[in-house]
Amino acid sequence: MQKVLSVILAILAIAIIVPFGVANRHLVPVTLDPVRRLDSTLAYDVPLSLVIFVAFMAGLLIGAFVMWMSQSRWRQTARIRTREAYRWRSEADRLARERDERAAKGLPGPSAGAARVG
């Protein structure tokens, strides 16, 4: 079901992006030199749709990076708690093995001989 939804969303995205790119294919000057402007060797004529797509993708990547960095504290907490869970699980397994070995040998458990305080 998720694969079908992904294909449908991809088709819709293509149906929107392709006509937008075709409609905005005229050239616009883009310069990376704020002083000399269009006389610079850093001035290029590129399609408007390319400028818009690059700006959109840059915003998307910057936003994703900022979100990833802001969630680093939670990922670190999850890693620490996962390590603790594995450590406690291995401790519980070790104690269960010791209990089973003692029961197989017919030995009493660690608390069987202890007096109850009441």
Side-chain angles (χ1 to χ4, degrees), residues 5 7-8 10-11 17 20 31 40 48 54 56 61 69 72-73 78 82 84-85 96 104 108 116:
L5 185 61
V7 169
I8 290 171
I11 290 171
I17 291 172
F20 178 80
T31 182
S40 173
L48 177 62
V54 167
F56 176 74
L61 291 174
M69 291 301 291
S72 65
R73 177 180 61 184
T82 300
E84 289 175 357
R116 289 186 83 175

Side-chain angles (χ1 to χ4, degrees), residues 4 17 22 44-45 59 61 82 86 101 110:
V4 173
I17 291 172
V22 171
Y44 303 100
D45 288 333
L61 291 174
T82 300
Y86 281 127
E101 289 172 2

Side-chain angles (χ1 to χ4, degrees), residues 12 14 24-25 30 35 38 42-43 45 47 53 65 68 80 86-87 94 96 101 105 109 115-118:
L12 287 174
I14 290 170
N24 293 300
R25 63 181 177 208
V30 175
V35 177
L38 299 177
L42 297 174
D45 288 333
F53 289 142
F65 179 73
W68 184 74
I80 291 169
Y86 281 127
R87 187 175 69 237
R94 183 185 64 80
E101 289 172 2
K105 292 179 183 177
R116 289 186 83 175
V117 177

Side-chain angles (χ1 to χ4, degrees), residues 75-101:
R75 285 192 307 276
Q76 181 181 13
T77 302
R79 280 193 302 270
I80 291 169
R81 290 188 179 165
T82 300
R83 277 189 232 117
E84 289 175 357
Y86 281 127
R87 187 175 69 237
W88 288 113
R89 170 63 74 169
S90 65
E91 179 72 13
D93 290 343
R94 183 185 64 80
L95 291 173
R97 274 194 313 275
E98 287 178 6
R99 181 195 62 214
D100 293 342
E101 289 172 2

